[in-house]
């Protein structure tokens, strides 16, 4: 069933071709994004402001606008070698199933036990915490992929890992919890009685099943209150996009080796870490005025921060304990419907991606309905084998749509998309799709207005 | 944390180095194993006898004692290219954690959506069924890995796939079932009212939660009764070991490229397909009188077919609808305790492996207790990242034990083991281990005697 071509199904870089430095796209941006602000003083945050919450080295990375490349520490590179370089896969069977002249490639990040690209940043963050002599880190997790990745990373460096898991997720996904515990992490259902925030929430409503916003607040409180602990986050932040640039650097090196230049680069976008990482080196070309692909961010119709949100300063969490960031946002009070793509249910968007979109370098944002997303995921699974995470399947949907456009136009465009993870822990969503009970949701203007009303007035 | 060495963490063959033929170790065996017998006539089975149950080409492979190499069809090779060659991984971090001079390598077969090596044979069997113009195939599944692999393979070739899943497994693992359904397979909880065997079992006991033996009987009955259907099996058979030789052929080619010759080869053994595949080319060396590794089969103490079973003709299933095979067996009536390593709970063993063990070519069989197995799996997960399936973890246990022996003796032996799959769907077992409720079981002689009493008198 293969086409007769010199390009293999899977392109692997050699171990010694693993990138030695992350690429900091922010250093090349024509217009830097607006700084993070202290929510109380509304003054730009400094490294000193961030140090009580973040590891010092990560605080520096967060504010680094100068260095285009930041060396990957050797210990992190060695961990990377256990599951990287990850392959760029030519989706020959998908091309054939679609009868498209397009050439479809995907960068596959699901081949590690965390099941997603989250491990790329988790291991870096755990390393810096370890180097600083910390005892442990705290974080929150919703769907569980970030919590799993961080648990693996902390297990490797012998760090204590405290994960606040949204209570309803912890109840619905006991096996996700068990995976994290296998890596020696401590999982606390949030809201919990271990923090002041949690106790307050429980006093108001003992049956509170939690939210990501509350879990973030608890994790930050515990980190700040505990000797030798810091808080870590799996997306949105500049430091995370920096670490995730490994995805794009590898993808570009692998495709360059075969003389392949993508015409279109597609990634799903929740907080923005995956797309930001995948497109980083290609965006570097764009910013340098070189030929570059057309970039598409894909988001769920139920949480359309880029396509229908406002470009404004907003809180990064619903609990308002985090800094204010200038970004595309639906408002921290926006409540997305119960989409199954948990990783894309974030009200805001990476400040870097937001600025690039605002300035027209990130060419397009497109929202898709989840039943269309799962239809694409099932086709993909049957012809390409891999069962994708619901988040990743958003990118599959648009890759297929673009390939079908090529079929109509007869153009042999080259499409690259990010397949960020696997769906083994998301089978409830596949069951809902297969049984016909899955619902699509497109918020009406009234719903959006309620969210917008929670955006603070800052400028 | 890496040692300074020229051997990378992961050795990948190039796509064009993917083997072009499977290796049929049976053609090189000094003493062929005894033939399969018709259970009614006790006469050796012919291709014509097998054709009502198996695809014709697979029936031929099952009885092929002549051809050392059998070409892998192009369509199967192309499917293999989507997830193969699989890597040989140098377990540097495990070596360091153990402070052992041993060099530890593992062949990793968990990097596909089925989560195990089962896909290697599933795609071959589905291909031959498709080539024969069949409408579909039937099979049984217990833990679910074989059923998942076959669903993926049938989805790819557009074959109907009917999987009889042991009822208690189907109830305990709704997500496993959902994965198979995503690939368009039909899952029937066994015992069911769709077959005479199932109806008989249900009439006797409406609350019957099923067994692998009953599921096999139902799958065979449906295949024989339905126009255009055949029955397929995921282990034990010679054809399956043939297909799984791809594991060993790749492993040997990858290690040969670096001049690495294993001193010890270790695999878990339930029906024998994984170990049979991994050791195949090295066993070929042994049979040809060349230097070869020391081979160890690892089985659970709760189901010790090689270490404590009898070498005798026995039924391959508890329902007695299958042929008689000469093998190491605990008796088809042996009921293993509820070990969590579902894939190793088989009363018999591959006739090829059994004969090689009987003749001293397979050097050693070793049984291990499951709490020791999970201790090894957790250590492995924390230092090497990958969360192993309970079955695979049996091999990890013995690899660690051999590496610790090297630490004592100061020998720098080279150990190769098979990491057959991932444990994402086995978290209930990890939870049991971590909560301290997991029990070990070593059957006493009385328990074994009950099983032995069910072995027929044939010679």
């Amino acid at each position: 069933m293969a086409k007769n071509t010199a390009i293999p199904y899977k392109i692997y870089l050699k171990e010694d071709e693993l990138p030695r430095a992350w690429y900091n796209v922010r250093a090349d941006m024509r217009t830097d994004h607006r700084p993070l602000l202290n929510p109380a003083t509304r003054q730009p945050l400094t490294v000193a402001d961030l140090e009580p919450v973040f590891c010092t080295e990560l605080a520096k990375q967060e504010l680094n606008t100068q260095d285009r490349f930041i060396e990957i520490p050797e210990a992190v590179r060695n961990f990377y070698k256990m599951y990287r370089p990850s392959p760029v896969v030519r989706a020959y069977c998908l091309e054939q199933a679609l009868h498209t002249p397009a050439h479809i490639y995907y960068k596959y990040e699901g081949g590690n036990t965390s099941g997603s690209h989250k491990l790329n940043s988790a291991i870096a963050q755990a390393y810096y915490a370890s180097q600083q002599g910390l005892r442990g880190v705290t974080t929150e997790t919703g769907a569980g992929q970030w919590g799993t990745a961080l648990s693996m990373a902390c297990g490797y460096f012998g760090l204590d890992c405290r994960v606040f898991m949204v209570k309803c997720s912890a109840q619905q996904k006991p096996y996700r919890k068990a995976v994290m515990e296998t890596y020696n992490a401590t999982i606390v259902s949030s809201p919990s009685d271990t923090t002041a925030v949690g106790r307050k929430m429980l006093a108001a409503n003992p049956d509170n099943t939690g939210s990501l916003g509350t879990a973030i607040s608890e994790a930050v409180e515990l980190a700040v209150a505990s000797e030798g602990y810091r808080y870590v986050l799996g997306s949105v932040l500049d430091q995370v996009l920096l670490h995730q640039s490994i995805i794009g650097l590898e993808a570009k090196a692998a495709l360059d080796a075969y003389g392949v230049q993508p015409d279109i680069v597609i990634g799903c976008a929740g907080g923005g870490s995956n797309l930001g990482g995948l497109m980083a080196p290609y965006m570097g070309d764009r910013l340098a005025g070189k030929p570059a692909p057309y970039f598409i961010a894909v988001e769920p119709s139920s949480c359309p921060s880029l396509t229908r949100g406002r470009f404004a300063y907003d809180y990064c969490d619903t609990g308002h304990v985090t800094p204010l960031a200038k970004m595309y946002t639906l408002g921290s009070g926006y409540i997305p419907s119960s989409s199954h793509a948990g990783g894309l249910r974030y009200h805001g968007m990476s400040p870097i991606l937001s600025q690039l979109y605002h300035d027209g370098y990130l060419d397009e944002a497109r929202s898709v309905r989840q039943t269309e997303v799962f239809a694409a995921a099932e086709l993909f699974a049957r012809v390409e084998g891999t069962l994708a995470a619901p988040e990743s399947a958003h990118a599959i949907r648009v890759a297929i749509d673009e390939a079908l456009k090529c079929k109509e136009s007869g153009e042999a465009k080259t499409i690259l998309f990010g397949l960020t993870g696997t769906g083994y822990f998301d089978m409830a969503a596949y069951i809902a799709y297969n049984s016909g009970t899955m619902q699509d949701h497109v918020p009406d203007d009234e719903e959006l207005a309620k969210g917008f009303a929670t955006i603070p007035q800052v400028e």
Side-chain angles (χ1 to χ4, degrees), chain A:
Chain A
M1 295 206 174
K3 293 184 184 177
N4 187 9
T5 169
I7 294 176
Y9 281 68
K10 299 183 304 304
I11 309 174
Y12 279 104
L13 294 178
K14 292 194 189 121
E15 182 171 296
D16 58 13
E17 295 171 312
L18 189 77
R20 297 184 174 276
W22 295 300
Y23 169 55
N24 179 17
V25 72
R26 196 173 167 193
D28 284 334
M29 283 168 66
R30 301 296 179 88
T31 309
D32 186 28
H33 69 69
R34 299 286 299 279
L36 295 176
L37 300 182
N38 180 318
T41 66
R42 304 208 166 166
Q43 292 301 304
L45 287 165
T46 63
V47 170
D49 292 326
L50 291 173
E51 276 181 322
V53 179
F54 295 136
C55 304
T56 304
E57 198 58 36
L58 291 168
K60 288 180 187 165
Q61 290 182 0
E62 191 60 33
L63 302 182
N64 189 326
T65 59
Q66 299 298 321
D67 300 316
R68 300 182 66 227
F69 289 96
I70 293 176
E71 193 184 333
I72 304 172
E74 194 191 348
V76 175
R77 268 189 106 237
N78 285 340
F79 187 90
Y80 278 168
K81 287 175 187 172
M82 288 200 287
Y83 72 101
R84 309 199 68 81
S86 71
V88 170
V89 186
R90 174 75 182 268
Y92 282 119
C93 295
L94 179 61
E95 292 171 17
Q96 190 174 54
L98 298 175
H99 302 287
T100 176
H103 294 192
I104 308 175
Y105 295 85
Y106 60 91
K107 177 72 169 167
Y108 181 53
E109 292 289 322
N112 67 76
T113 288
S114 83
S116 82
H117 67 296
K118 295 284 184 185
L119 194 53
N120 301 332
S121 184
I123 193 65
Q125 296 194 43
Y127 167 77
Y128 290 118
S130 167
Q131 282 299 103
Q132 197 172 324
L134 297 176
R135 290 183 54 207
V137 293
T138 71
T139 198
E140 74 291 332
T141 201
Q145 289 176 321
W146 167 246
T148 305
L150 190 69
S151 301
M152 290 176 67
C154 288
Y156 184 75
F157 285 118
L159 281 173
D160 188 31
C161 181
R162 303 287 173 106
V163 181
F164 288 88
M165 189 169 187
V166 177
K167 190 177 282 178
C168 60
S169 283
Q171 288 167 344
Q172 286 163 8
K173 297 187 170 187
Y175 293 162
R176 259 292 182 203
K177 185 165 173 278
V179 173
M180 293 186 266
E181 287 172 343
T182 297
Y183 289 94
N184 225 7
T186 302
I187 316 305
V188 183
S189 287
S190 169
S192 76
D193 60 3
T194 67
T195 67
V197 171
R199 285 189 293 271
K200 188 175 157 194
M201 305 293 288
L202 288 172
N205 175 13
D207 298 327
N208 188 318
T209 59
S211 72
L212 212 51
T214 304
I216 292 176
S217 303
E218 290 203 79
V220 172
E221 179 185 326
L222 180 66
V224 173
S226 308
E227 182 71 25
Y229 282 78
R230 292 294 185 282
Y231 169 72
V232 296
L233 186 65
S235 190
V236 183
L237 297 173
D238 289 7
Q239 60 186 268
V240 179
L241 265 73
L242 173 72
H243 305 149
Q244 295 297 357
S245 69
I246 189 91
I247 303 173
L249 292 167
E250 284 183 9
K252 189 169 191 300
L255 290 174
D256 283 352
Y258 286 87
V260 174
Q261 167 73 7
D263 297 302
I264 307 173
V265 169
I266 300 165
C268 62
S273 71
N274 142 62
L275 175 59
L278 176 64
M279 74 180 189
Y282 291 110
M283 183 58 76
D285 284 348
R286 165 74 61 88
L287 293 166
K290 295 181 194 165
Y294 182 84
F295 300 108
I296 307 177
V298 189
E299 57 187 15
S301 63
S302 59
C303 196
S305 47
L306 284 171
T307 47
R308 298 176 69 195
R310 294 198 179 152
F311 189 49
Y313 264 110
D314 197 5
Y315 294 96
C316 297
D317 66 319
T318 47
H320 297 188
V321 300
T322 60
L324 292 160
K326 180 75 179 279
M327 59 184 176
Y328 279 87
T329 178
L330 296 165
S332 63
Y334 177 75
I335 300 166
S337 74
S338 57
S339 160
H340 292 287
L344 305 181
R345 295 182 65 206
Y346 184 63
H347 69 277
M349 182 55 66
S350 144
I352 288 177
L353 246 62
S354 292
Q355 189 69 45
L356 290 170
Y357 181 57
H358 182 73
D359 294 342
Y361 293 106
L362 167 53
D363 297 281
E364 183 184 341
R366 200 179 293 180
S367 76
V368 290
R369 298 178 187 220
Q370 71 173 343
T371 53
E372 301 166 333
V373 165
F374 277 84
E378 287 216 343
L379 170 64
F380 187 80
R382 288 179 195 165
V383 299
E384 289 285 322
T386 300
L387 189 76
E391 293 85 354
S392 323
H394 284 68
I396 297 174
R397 174 73 268 166
V398 171
I400 288 175
D401 290 342
E402 292 299 311
L404 291 175
K405 281 187 201 166
C406 287
K407 184 180 174 181
E408 282 191 21
S409 69
E411 291 173 286
K413 286 189 180 172
T414 296
I415 299 168
L416 169 66
F417 73 90
L419 188 65
T420 52
T422 49
Y424 307 125
F425 291 95
D426 302 286
M427 293 316 299
Y430 278 93
I431 291 172
Y433 174 70
N434 283 317
S435 65
T437 60
M438 179 175 278
Q439 299 287 319
D440 286 326
H441 183 69
V442 183
D444 60 26
D445 290 344
E446 198 178 336
E447 281 176 80
L448 291 185
K450 283 184 195 164
F452 292 150
T454 66
I455 300 175
Q457 297 297 320
V458 181
E459 209 64 32

